[in-house]
Amino acid sequence: MHIDRILKAATLGLACAAAPLAVPAPEAQTLRVVQGAVGRTLSVPMNRAVVVESEMPFAELSIANPAIADISSLSDSTIYVLGKAPGTTTLTILDENGRLISNVDVRVSADVSEFKERLQQILPGEDIEVRTANDGIVLSGQVSSVQKLDRALELAQRYAPDRVSNLMTVGGVQQVMLKVRFAEMQRSVSKALRSSLSVIGDGFGGDLGVRAGAGAGVGAGAVGAVSPQAGSTGAALLGFDVGGLEVGILLEALESKGVVRTLAEPNLTALSGQEARFLAGGEYPIPIAQDEGSISVEFKPFGIELDFVPRVVDGDLINLELQTAVSAIDPANGVQIDAFQIDAFTRREASTTVELRDGESFAIAGLLQDDFSDINGQVPWLGDVPVLGALFRSAEYQRSQTELVIIITPHLVTPTKGEALALPTDRVRPPSEKDLFLYGRVSDGTRRPKAGAAGEVARQDFNGSYGYVMD
């Protein structure tokens, strides 16, 4: 018996030496065993040890699966249990007469005490529960953001590679409404000043005709054989005869100004991490020649385009990955292919990734395009003559400016009850035949809820927000 204890003590020393030194061993847990029963299931961390005490002296110990746990007796009433591999086995304790004192369920699981400590240091305040399942780790509870969930999973993988079960949920609002404002201004200015001089008469026995100046046109019956160009908004035509000589002077002036304003405010909602797309415009057919000689039609979208992927990073911090474009049909730069007239497109687009909080705004794109051109034409030598040279010169000036600004504003939103929603069409009622034909009314008044949430929304302007509750 004494030799057996020495051998067991030596085996215990080797097992302790083989245990990882990087993980500090906790104080041994004590489980008291009474006659025929045990206080609870014995839980042993892997590569850790616990001490089991029996109220009755025992003479023999037996472990069902030595690969899961190793045992050794420290005295006739104390047992040392070392966890070796994840699993569950049975420890049998017998007295000196071979009678059963107790069967103890030994459950060996991965050691997560250090993992729990590191998890609290890295993610303080997060409600994360850590459990063991066989040789893996189970995470449950609720975290405040997807980013913190990913951090917890990444840390768990270091302790149990490919053996982590994720039962965690993400709290807070996870739906994002993106409000985008497109504002574009186009300004154009065009000025032109032209002059023409013509002299027609008989000389040297034949017709003599001289026409000078830039941009002069010849019209039948016009004075001096000059006439204003088509589209001229200001023209002065002077003519006189000197004997058989006819003299005509034409002065033309043109000035045009134009302003175009384009504004769109699309609102689009998406779940965190999911893509959302928006198109306000249309699709333009483009013929495509095939190898076998046939022609197919491909449709190209144009208008206001928006693609974005929102990600709620932490609380109300939102990461936005977005692509947006503003395009329009441009017939002036089209091409003619056989019997097909294919228009061109003007397109301005932006692609970026930004981070901002709920309700904050970014001007993600701004474009200022300024085109300027001027042309000065004259009759050689005659246009350089002082004062009178102006009659032989023509000048044109054009300037075009385009400015585009794109502003984005994300909001965290939650759904609301259907009866609290109102549409612009809810306020208009079709007219009766009497109202339409007798009074010329295109609608029979308006109808709107008087009370409740729907009544509050119905009193809003058409530009109000519908369908969401802003946090």
Side-chain angles (χ1 to χ4, degrees):
M1 185 68 176
H2 181 68
I3 296 176
D4 181 61
R5 291 184 178 180
I6 295 176
L7 291 176
K8 290 181 178 180
T11 303
L12 175 62
L14 292 175
C16 293
L21 298 178
V23 182
E27 295 183 359
Q29 303 179 22
T30 300
L31 181 69
R32 185 171 299 277
V33 178
V34 298
Q35 178 68 29
V38 64
R40 59 182 170 85
T41 300
L42 182 61
S43 297
V44 183
M46 190 170 58
N47 298 324
R48 301 291 181 94
V50 298
V51 176
V52 178
E53 292 184 352
S54 176
E55 290 189 346
M56 297 184 60
F58 59 83
E60 186 176 351
L61 300 175
S62 176
I63 190 74
N65 190 348
I68 295 178
D70 194 10
I71 59 173
S72 178
S73 59
L74 301 179
S75 66
D76 58 357
S77 60
T78 306
I79 309 168
Y80 190 88
V81 182
L82 175 67
K84 298 174 64 177
T88 303
T89 186
T90 302
L91 170 62
T92 302
I93 305 175
L94 303 175
D95 61 9
E96 58 184 3
N97 297 322
R99 290 178 299 182
L100 178 66
I101 296 178
S102 180
N103 283 326
V104 180
D105 292 332
V106 179
R107 181 178 300 165
V108 180
S109 59
D111 184 17
V112 294
S113 57
E114 183 184 7
F115 171 63
K116 291 180 179 179
E117 181 180 354
R118 296 292 180 266
L119 197 61
Q120 289 298 323
Q121 293 174 353
I122 297 175
L123 301 175
E126 296 295 330
D127 184 17
I128 302 178
E129 298 180 2
V130 181
R131 297 183 178 87
T132 58
N134 199 3
D135 59 343
I137 296 177
V138 178
L139 300 180
S140 60
Q142 188 178 84
V143 292
S144 58
S145 66
V146 177
Q147 186 179 25
K148 292 184 177 180
L149 183 144
D150 294 337
R151 290 180 182 176
L153 292 177
E154 182 180 357
L155 181 62
Q157 288 289 343
R158 295 185 175 272
Y159 287 87
D162 300 325
R163 300 191 306 275
V164 179
S165 298
N166 177 25
L167 301 180
M168 294 183 293
T169 59
V170 180
V173 180
Q174 296 299 311
Q175 295 184 102
V176 179
M177 184 188 73
L178 185 63
K179 180 178 181 180
V180 185
R181 288 179 289 171
F182 296 87
E184 182 177 17
M185 290 290 295
Q186 296 180 354
R187 297 177 292 271
S188 62
V189 177
S190 177
K191 297 180 180 181
L193 179 62
R194 306 184 186 97
S195 63
S196 301
L197 174 66
S198 70
V199 178
I200 298 177
D202 298 332
F204 305 101
D207 293 337
L208 172 66
V210 178
R211 289 187 299 272
V218 179
V223 177
V226 293
S227 61
Q229 290 189 1
S232 295
T233 57
L237 181 60
L238 302 177
F240 58 91
D241 297 334
V242 179
L245 193 65
E246 184 179 357
V247 179
I249 300 175
L250 174 65
L251 298 177
E252 294 179 277
L254 171 65
E255 181 178 7
S256 62
K257 298 179 181 180
V259 176
V260 178
R261 175 179 180 266
T262 303
L263 183 65
E265 294 189 13
N267 294 346
L268 196 59
T269 303
L271 189 64
S272 176
Q274 301 298 317
E275 182 182 9
R277 306 186 65 185
F278 177 89
L279 172 63
E283 292 187 340
Y284 182 79
I286 298 178
I288 305 296
Q290 304 298 322
D291 296 336
E292 60 274 10
S294 61
I295 296 178
S296 64
V297 176
E298 179 180 339
F299 288 88
K300 180 179 178 63
F302 68 92
I304 305 295
E305 300 176 62
L306 173 65
D307 296 351
F308 79 101
V309 179
R311 295 180 178 89
V312 181
V313 179
D314 188 7
D316 61 348
L317 183 63
I318 304 170
N319 177 285
L320 284 177
E321 179 182 349
L322 58 91
Q323 295 181 346
T324 183
V326 180
S327 57
I329 299 176
D330 184 13
N333 295 318
V335 295
Q336 180 78 31
I337 301 178
D338 295 333
F340 297 100
Q341 174 67 32
I342 303 177
D343 296 330
F345 287 86
T346 59
R347 183 177 179 89
R348 283 84 66 196
E349 63 180 22
S351 176
T352 184
T353 301
V354 296
E355 276 191 356
L356 61 170
R357 298 192 178 276
D358 179 19
E360 295 180 342
S361 298
F362 254 136
I364 64 166
L367 171 66
L368 178 60
Q369 182 178 353
D370 193 348
D371 297 331
F372 170 81
S373 66
D374 60 352
I375 300 175
N376 187 11
Q378 67 178 19
V379 176
W381 303 298
L382 295 179
D384 296 329
V385 177
V387 182
L388 294 178
L391 298 176
F392 302 92
R393 288 196 299 267
S394 175
E396 295 183 7
Y397 164 87
Q398 290 183 350
R399 185 173 186 179
S400 177
Q401 292 180 321
T402 301
E403 186 173 2
L404 172 66
V405 177
I406 302 175
I407 301 176
I408 61 169
T409 305
H411 293 282
L412 295 175
V413 296
T414 55
T416 185
K417 295 182 179 180
E419 57 268 17
L421 304 181
L423 298 175
T425 54
D426 294 339
R427 310 178 186 184
V428 180
R429 185 167 48 193
S432 63
E433 294 182 357
K434 175 182 176 181
D435 292 331
L436 179 61
F437 294 106
L438 186 59
Y439 299 107
R441 297 172 182 171
V442 295
S443 63
D444 185 15
T446 59
R447 53 180 180 179
R448 64 176 63 183
K450 299 299 183 181
E456 179 65 26
V457 176
R459 286 189 291 271
Q460 296 180 3
D461 184 70
F462 280 101
N463 294 324
S465 299
Y466 299 93
Y468 305 99
V469 176
M470 300 294 185
D471 289 342

